[in-house]
Amino acid sequence: MKEEEQNNILNEVTQSDYKFGFVTDIDMEMAPKGLNEDIIRFISKKKNEPDFMLEYRLRAYRKWLTMQEPDWAHLNIPPIDYQDIIYYAAPKKKKELSSLDEVDPELLDTFNKLGISLEEQKLLSGVAVDAVFDSVSVKTTFSETLEKYGIIFCSFSEAVQNHPDLVKKYVGSVVPYGDNYFAALNSAVFSDGSFCYIPKGVRCPVELSTYFRINTAGTGQFERTLIVADEGSYVSYLEGCTAPQRDENQLHAAVVEIVALKDAEVKYSTVQNWYPGDKNGKGGIFNFVTKRGMCKGSHSKISWTQVETGSAVTWKYPGCILLGDNSIGEFYSVAVTNNHQQADTGSKMIHLGKNTKSTIISKGISSGFSNNSYRGLVKISKRAENSRNYSQCDSLLLGDKCGAHTFPYINTANRSSIVEHEATTSKISEDQLFYCQQRGIDTENAIGLIVNGYAKEVLKQLPMEFAVEAQKLLSISLEGSVG
Amino acid sequence: MLKIKNLHVSINGKEILQGLNLKVNKGEVHAIMGPNGTGKSTLANIIAGKPGYHVDKGEIIYKGRNLFEMPPEERAQEGVFLGFQYPVEIPGVSMTNFMRTAINEHRKYKGLDPMSAGEFLKLMKEKQQLVEIHSKLTNRSVNEGFSGGEKKKNEIFQMAMLEPELAILDETDSGLDIDALKIVANGVNKLKTKDNATIVITHYQRLLDYIVPDFVHILFDGKIVKSGGKELALILEEKGYEWIKDESPN
Amino acid sequence: METKYNDIIFKEKVVSLFEQNRAQFGANDTTRMSEERSKAFEQFKKVGFPDKKMEAWRNTNLKDVFAHNYNIQFSPVDEKSDFDKVFQCNIHNFDTQTIALYNGWYLSEDKHLITLPNGTIIGSLAQAIKEYPELVQKHYNKYTNIEENGLIALNTAFSQDGIFIYVPDNVKTYKTIQMVNILDKEDDLFIQNRNLIIVGKNAKLTILHCDDSYNYSRSFTNTVTEVFIDEGAEVDHYKLQNLNDSTTLINTTYFHQESYSKLTTNSITLNGGLIRNKINVVLNGEGGEANVFGVYLADKEQHIDNQVFVDHAKANCNSDELFKGIIDDNATAVFNGHILVRKDSQHTNASQTNRNMQLTDKATVYTKPFLEIYADDVKCNHGATIGQLDEEAMFYIQSRGIGDYDARLLLLYAFAAEVINKISVDTLRESIDDLVKKRLRGELAICDQCVLQCKDQEKTYEFKIDISKI
């Protein structure tokens, strides 16, 4: 298995243009546009999936057919033609570039501002890499470490092949395929993603992000991630990348499921920086993501942290089902929208177990012509005695053409729980701006500083090295937002 | 260094400064005194470039340049420093990060490379001692949760860090107990050189026991109605502001 | 299975009633009013009654309400009702100019419209349409939105009478005008009340809007009130609701505020079966101020729903919302707040707070404070809490020798008092204060004027717990 994984990683690194770690064949290229049961059977067959997986996909597809695209979000989305999408093919091949000189200078500029190393810049922008061996050695050490602890960390496709029992047991257990339109679509056609299993009592010694940064640059349009933390285990997982990500696929519908068993803790951090479209709102990714964690066992904990700066449209509500008694769910979010971006994001905390606790901290920053909405659900069931929720959702407005909205849904059904929700909306304080300027800091930098300060509570939840990049990212995302 | 000629300033149509004249040279310390609401803070803010004020007439020439043509940050980079009467809190922005950004912006303006982290920390330490400010405070967010006295000390600390040519201290003494007052004054005195100038804006004479001015001006009804040496402050202390009202032509 | 379609059956009944009796509606309508009535009817025909699929109605289900067959009356009841007999105000020592709707019709012994010495006109809306068509037409149905939901359309199509109040420019009415909606009919009635209140420039008006029921019959009242508040005018509006447990009351109020006007509205819900108050405020001129307060006390199977929409359509306006509720037994409370700050409405200050005290595990609270903001120079905040009696405070009070029951009452009262204290008319505040205390002690139920039907033998409590929601 070790060798296979290594090969896989090697492939992914060297051929990051390909979505999958195996060779493209003619059939694949020929796969027609559109979606029907044959396409799904085809996908499943190509991936050599066991029957249960195919059945799962088909059930999801049939459910999807009966569903309607949600329109309740505060989003303005042009109609998507689901029959005009190729569901089984590698992402469109980027042209292999021979040097960084051929890369879009604007992109390079951002890389530099983020302080991304030259090697990584090449990888991210698709320049042929010659320094693979270095990376490989890093990766080998990494894999060895994981293996020592019995941690399974591989692509979803591999997991289906090598750990079908685990996949069968947990896939769809947190986000059922009928959960929503996009989850159903993903369940029918998901391409690949990651699978992670932390055995009993193991504390994963590394951030699963450190190496994954490059890997994720090539994840697909319909990504599927499943993380299972067995009793008493701990893992910190980082998805995404601060570097700008350009993808030709406009529609992204991912599903992430986390299962935390008794006393387990999972920390999931996301930096989302997909292409947001140009200044006039042309192009950009539609990002429809269903992320949910299940605190299945008592005293388990799931914590989501997200920094959302990219995509033309973001639709995601990472949440927790707090099933185990004394379990804890957390959600920390910074969402920045600029130009014509639209974000409708927030969290769902469903309290089912006794003494469960949840915290929601959301900081929205809107500028340009963008619209930024927080949408949250806190539900305390009858059984969830002595539960607590605290939500703080603040919005900051930069400019008078943008919008900031807050939609919290709160529902309680027992008398021993306490729910508190607070939110404020305001613009950046002129006094703060002037104070910075008086110390010689120009307006743009001052805004960067103030916004980062504003988002501090969330940023400090990120793993150290990412926090630094995320800070830079926030400032970059807001560039040009003030006149 | 600073020449203010016949300055008329209004805010929301209400005239605050009504023909103010002032000249400040290198190495001088000027005190501006006056009762509340006569335009002392307006004067400080207009020099620093706070938005919201309207200059109806007059000019301010600083180091030979028209100050009104410069944005606030450029004035700061050219050496204008305002010690705020009510320093604003900036949650989440650490003092260290804030000062480092400010210093590097100053250096960029002067065509210098950014200061290394080591150098910067050394500088911080050195200046902290000058104003006897706790390093604990500089680890916190800008002014957040600071007591009144700590905020004022923090202003002087920033002044020490940025080494301005023209420092304007707006009611820096207000809300300070005597020990803090001494520390603040001591800091200001230590920072004084023959090349920089200080304008101290105050309501009470008390501060001037510790920061000895070369000139004292009395601002009343938007104008400087009386100027003199440090003894003027003592007369004022003795006779009160009523005296000025009586002396004032209108 | 049949109950599933109750609302449809009822809708069809209502539609055919309208078509059969079209001539009876709005005999004195102006052309515009008549056209709008027809348009509203078409709209109702299209959308029907609101249902749970609508975002604004997801927590208030009318399906059970329609399980009953309501009667519709197209003309006032024959018997001459003696006003004093049917209505006994339980707010004592309160000097008011009282006008009433009795089962949906203006109640009067002689004239249907009176003009006070200061020029204020009060009385029946149907009469006002006859006598002052110009004045009525200028404002009637201008502030409603028949597309908001089917009930608004239905009211606009069906309304025949209601209260009319006109306060001329610069007139300050110091006497509170009390509008009383009385339900007293053995038949279960479905009533459409339509009120129009016009407050001229720099005028002042204090109104107390009471909904009371005097027997145990079921009824369904669908009230739509339009209040136009001209420049610089000031309106104090109080809504006192004390209805029996089988009553359904849907109360929609549209406040339209011009520049520098000031509105304070306070909804006090003491009792009711299913009550839904929808308050719409449009701040249509700069410098406007809107204070929207409410307190609700729900127990047994009651369902109380407060919906507040504040539209900051112009810059430099302030709005403040505070709703507090105590929810006991199997009751359900819903709060939906919506603040909209439009694109150029700079310098807006808006605040929205909902606090709930949930006393049992069988009670349910839904709250959704919603902010929608398109201007940047604003200060908006909202907060919502759901909690219980403060244990520490309970202990503190008990440690001073006060028993558990009294300590509890004290704290509950203190919780509600924050809203009650905002009532600026002293006598009214004291009376309401008293009513709230009585209500919390359960005394309203044994009082002479009992409007609760705790002794009603026929009524059986159904404990419906939807397992799927747990």
Side-chain angles (χ1 to χ4, degrees), chain A residues 230-251:
Chain A
D230 212 326
E231 291 181 11
S233 66
Y234 167 85
V235 64
S236 167
Y237 184 97
L238 200 132
E239 169 208 304
C241 179
T242 51
Q245 302 195 37
R246 299 217 164 163
D247 189 311
E248 299 298 318
N249 295 313
Q250 219 185 3
L251 176 68

Tab-separated table of all heavy atoms in Angstrom, chain A residues 230-251:
chain	number	residue	atom	x	y	z
A	230	ASP	N	-11.380	7.946	14.826
A	230	ASP	CA	-11.849	6.912	15.743
A	230	ASP	C	-11.680	7.389	17.189
A	230	ASP	O	-11.100	8.433	17.445
A	230	ASP	CB	-11.082	5.601	15.488
A	230	ASP	CG	-11.953	4.380	15.768
A	230	ASP	OD1	-12.789	4.471	16.683
A	230	ASP	OD2	-11.795	3.359	15.074
A	231	GLU	N	-12.152	6.579	18.105
A	231	GLU	CA	-12.201	6.998	19.509
A	231	GLU	C	-10.893	7.588	20.007
A	231	GLU	O	-9.830	7.027	19.797
A	231	GLU	CB	-12.604	5.809	20.396
A	231	GLU	CG	-14.049	5.416	20.164
A	231	GLU	CD	-14.491	4.260	21.037
A	231	GLU	OE1	-13.753	3.902	21.964
A	231	GLU	OE2	-15.577	3.720	20.767
A	232	GLY	N	-10.996	8.714	20.637
A	232	GLY	CA	-9.848	9.330	21.289
A	232	GLY	C	-8.758	9.828	20.357
A	232	GLY	O	-7.655	10.133	20.800
A	233	SER	N	-9.044	9.934	19.074
A	233	SER	CA	-7.993	10.379	18.154
A	233	SER	C	-8.094	11.871	17.884
A	233	SER	O	-9.072	12.519	18.261
A	233	SER	CB	-8.091	9.605	16.836
A	233	SER	OG	-9.280	9.935	16.167
A	234	TYR	N	-7.063	12.379	17.244
A	234	TYR	CA	-7.056	13.809	16.914
A	234	TYR	C	-6.420	14.024	15.548
A	234	TYR	O	-5.410	13.404	15.219
A	234	TYR	CB	-6.253	14.593	17.962
A	234	TYR	CG	-5.937	16.011	17.516
A	234	TYR	CD1	-6.872	17.022	17.713
A	234	TYR	CD2	-4.723	16.317	16.891
A	234	TYR	CE1	-6.618	18.323	17.288
A	234	TYR	CE2	-4.453	17.617	16.458
A	234	TYR	CZ	-5.394	18.612	16.655
A	234	TYR	OH	-5.145	19.883	16.230
A	235	VAL	N	-7.006	14.894	14.763
A	235	VAL	CA	-6.373	15.250	13.502
A	235	VAL	C	-6.705	16.689	13.142
A	235	VAL	O	-7.796	17.186	13.428
A	235	VAL	CB	-6.789	14.275	12.368
A	235	VAL	CG1	-8.283	14.362	12.078
A	235	VAL	CG2	-6.001	14.570	11.076
A	236	SER	N	-5.728	17.341	12.556
A	236	SER	CA	-5.964	18.677	12.021
A	236	SER	C	-5.748	18.593	10.517
A	236	SER	O	-4.709	18.148	10.048
A	236	SER	CB	-4.983	19.672	12.646
A	236	SER	OG	-5.013	20.873	11.917
A	237	TYR	N	-6.757	19.005	9.797
A	237	TYR	CA	-6.763	18.807	8.353
A	237	TYR	C	-6.913	20.158	7.694
A	237	TYR	O	-7.740	20.964	8.107
A	237	TYR	CB	-7.949	17.916	7.998
A	237	TYR	CG	-8.055	17.523	6.547
A	237	TYR	CD1	-7.560	16.303	6.102
A	237	TYR	CD2	-8.655	18.363	5.627
A	237	TYR	CE1	-7.663	15.935	4.773
A	237	TYR	CE2	-8.756	18.012	4.296
A	237	TYR	CZ	-8.260	16.794	3.873
A	237	TYR	OH	-8.360	16.434	2.561
A	238	LEU	N	-6.093	20.431	6.697
A	238	LEU	CA	-6.230	21.703	6.017
A	238	LEU	C	-6.500	21.515	4.542
A	238	LEU	O	-5.738	20.846	3.854
A	238	LEU	CB	-4.992	22.571	6.228
A	238	LEU	CG	-5.354	24.023	5.939
A	238	LEU	CD1	-4.864	24.934	7.021
A	238	LEU	CD2	-4.850	24.450	4.591
A	239	GLU	N	-7.582	22.099	4.112
A	239	GLU	CA	-7.970	21.987	2.716
A	239	GLU	C	-7.695	23.314	2.047
A	239	GLU	O	-7.891	24.365	2.632
A	239	GLU	CB	-9.469	21.681	2.635
A	239	GLU	CG	-10.048	21.796	1.250
A	239	GLU	CD	-11.531	22.168	1.264
A	239	GLU	OE1	-12.320	21.463	1.894
A	239	GLU	OE2	-11.876	23.179	0.649
A	240	GLY	N	-7.271	23.241	0.805
A	240	GLY	CA	-7.174	24.462	0.031
A	240	GLY	C	-5.816	25.100	0.104
A	240	GLY	O	-4.851	24.528	0.592
A	241	CYS	N	-5.769	26.279	-0.369
A	241	CYS	CA	-4.497	26.863	-0.685
A	241	CYS	C	-4.694	28.362	-0.751
A	241	CYS	O	-5.703	28.841	-1.259
A	241	CYS	CB	-4.103	26.307	-2.054
A	241	CYS	SG	-2.579	26.907	-2.669
A	242	THR	N	-3.734	29.095	-0.219
A	242	THR	CA	-3.891	30.545	-0.264
A	242	THR	C	-3.596	31.085	-1.652
A	242	THR	O	-4.011	32.173	-2.001
A	242	THR	CB	-2.941	31.221	0.726
A	242	THR	OG1	-1.646	30.708	0.502
A	242	THR	CG2	-3.369	30.969	2.145
A	243	ALA	N	-2.866	30.289	-2.439
A	243	ALA	CA	-2.531	30.771	-3.777
A	243	ALA	C	-3.788	30.798	-4.634
A	243	ALA	O	-4.683	29.991	-4.453
A	243	ALA	CB	-1.505	29.842	-4.407
A	244	PRO	N	-3.868	31.735	-5.554
A	244	PRO	CA	-5.064	31.799	-6.396
A	244	PRO	C	-5.192	30.528	-7.217
A	244	PRO	O	-4.209	29.998	-7.731
A	244	PRO	CB	-4.817	32.997	-7.300
A	244	PRO	CG	-3.420	33.421	-7.089
A	244	PRO	CD	-2.879	32.753	-5.883
A	245	GLN	N	-6.373	30.003	-7.329
A	245	GLN	CA	-6.563	28.780	-8.078
A	245	GLN	C	-7.456	29.043	-9.268
A	245	GLN	O	-8.535	29.566	-9.136
A	245	GLN	CB	-7.192	27.732	-7.179
A	245	GLN	CG	-6.322	27.481	-5.981
A	245	GLN	CD	-6.710	26.228	-5.277
A	245	GLN	OE1	-7.079	25.240	-5.893
A	245	GLN	NE2	-6.613	26.260	-3.978
A	246	ARG	N	-6.918	28.673	-10.405
A	246	ARG	CA	-7.689	28.897	-11.620
A	246	ARG	C	-8.116	27.565	-12.165
A	246	ARG	O	-7.328	26.649	-12.285
A	246	ARG	CB	-6.804	29.617	-12.642
A	246	ARG	CG	-6.362	30.952	-12.074
A	246	ARG	CD	-6.315	31.980	-13.129
A	246	ARG	NE	-6.265	33.281	-12.502
A	246	ARG	CZ	-5.903	34.379	-13.121
A	246	ARG	NH1	-5.536	34.328	-14.389
A	246	ARG	NH2	-5.911	35.521	-12.497
A	247	ASP	N	-9.356	27.458	-12.442
A	247	ASP	CA	-9.863	26.209	-12.964
A	247	ASP	C	-10.857	26.563	-14.040
A	247	ASP	O	-11.610	27.521	-13.920
A	247	ASP	CB	-10.544	25.439	-11.822
A	247	ASP	CG	-10.896	24.031	-12.244
A	247	ASP	OD1	-11.494	23.883	-13.324
A	247	ASP	OD2	-10.562	23.094	-11.502
A	248	GLU	N	-10.850	25.769	-15.110
A	248	GLU	CA	-11.754	26.066	-16.211
A	248	GLU	C	-13.186	25.641	-15.891
A	248	GLU	O	-14.130	26.106	-16.498
A	248	GLU	CB	-11.290	25.368	-17.493
A	248	GLU	CG	-9.916	25.809	-17.952
A	248	GLU	CD	-9.851	27.294	-18.288
A	248	GLU	OE1	-10.798	27.795	-18.926
A	248	GLU	OE2	-8.869	27.943	-17.903
A	249	ASN	N	-13.302	24.711	-14.951
A	249	ASN	CA	-14.644	24.252	-14.616
A	249	ASN	C	-15.367	25.309	-13.817
A	249	ASN	O	-14.889	25.750	-12.783
A	249	ASN	CB	-14.588	22.982	-13.772
A	249	ASN	CG	-14.007	21.845	-14.551
A	249	ASN	OD1	-14.386	21.610	-15.692
A	249	ASN	ND2	-13.037	21.176	-13.973
A	250	GLN	N	-16.534	25.671	-14.275
A	250	GLN	CA	-17.195	26.738	-13.554
A	250	GLN	C	-17.932	26.243	-12.322
A	250	GLN	O	-18.006	26.920	-11.316
A	250	GLN	CB	-18.146	27.501	-14.472
A	250	GLN	CG	-17.998	28.942	-14.074
A	250	GLN	CD	-18.909	29.891	-14.744
A	250	GLN	OE1	-19.775	29.550	-15.530
A	250	GLN	NE2	-18.704	31.129	-14.406
A	251	LEU	N	-18.442	25.047	-12.415
A	251	LEU	CA	-19.246	24.518	-11.320
A	251	LEU	C	-18.429	23.589	-10.426
A	251	LEU	O	-17.829	22.633	-10.914
A	251	LEU	CB	-20.454	23.763	-11.882
A	251	LEU	CG	-21.331	23.065	-10.863
A	251	LEU	CD1	-22.061	24.066	-9.993
A	251	LEU	CD2	-22.294	22.129	-11.556
